[in-house]
Amino acid sequence: MEKYQFVFFSGAIGFTAPHIGEVRKEITRRVEREKAESVRHDIELQMIENKDGVPKIQDSCYLYNDSFEMIHGSISETKNYLKESWRYRINKNHPPKKNIS
């Protein structure tokens, strides 16, 4: 999993950063300026693969539900969820080859 990194993304404001604090700060700035309270919890965690220097989103999920509670309890649990769901899809689409003797 070394070739993967995680970034935080807010689609409502089109802002991505490696630390959630940066995204929260930008959201707060925009909420105060544009009075758009609805974007406050619009944060998605993305699992990115850098392949030949080109970042590609492998998996993503929102951090908060409609009640503004963290869906998986914590950022680390959300990262674990993304890793496991990504592994599941990879294994499902590319099952190990059977050794026929």
Side-chain angles (χ1 to χ4, degrees):
M1 297 298 288
E2 299 81 31
K3 60 184 176 179
Y4 301 98
Q5 64 181 15
F6 292 91
V7 296
F8 298 92
F9 171 72
S10 174
I13 64 171
F15 188 82
T16 302
H19 302 289
I20 193 167
E22 294 174 43
V23 176
R24 286 183 177 146
K25 185 177 173 181
E26 183 63 18
I27 286 173
T28 299
R29 190 176 73 74
R30 302 258 184 116
V31 165
E32 290 171 358
R33 187 179 71 199
E34 299 168 13
K35 307 295 182 212
E37 190 68 32
S38 61
V39 303
R40 191 169 293 281
H41 291 91
D42 177 47
I43 302 175
E44 184 179 333
L45 182 65
Q46 297 179 337
M47 188 170 107
I48 308 287
E49 176 185 20
N50 279 316
K51 197 166 190 174
D52 300 324
V54 178
K56 180 181 177 193
I57 298 172
Q58 295 299 317
D59 203 353
S60 69
C61 69
Y62 284 99
L63 291 179
Y64 301 101
N65 62 19
D66 291 340
S67 300
F68 306 124
E69 299 163 334
M70 194 166 276
I71 295 172
H72 297 102
S74 70
I75 292 170
S76 63
E77 288 301 316
T78 304
K79 286 180 181 180
N80 290 336
Y81 167 80
L82 286 175
K83 289 176 190 175
E84 290 305 314
S85 63
W86 177 81
R87 283 186 187 116
Y88 173 78
R89 279 198 317 280
I90 291 299
N91 291 334
K92 183 179 173 186
N93 294 333
H94 301 45
K97 294 182 181 178
K98 293 181 181 176
N99 196 1
I100 301 174
S101 305

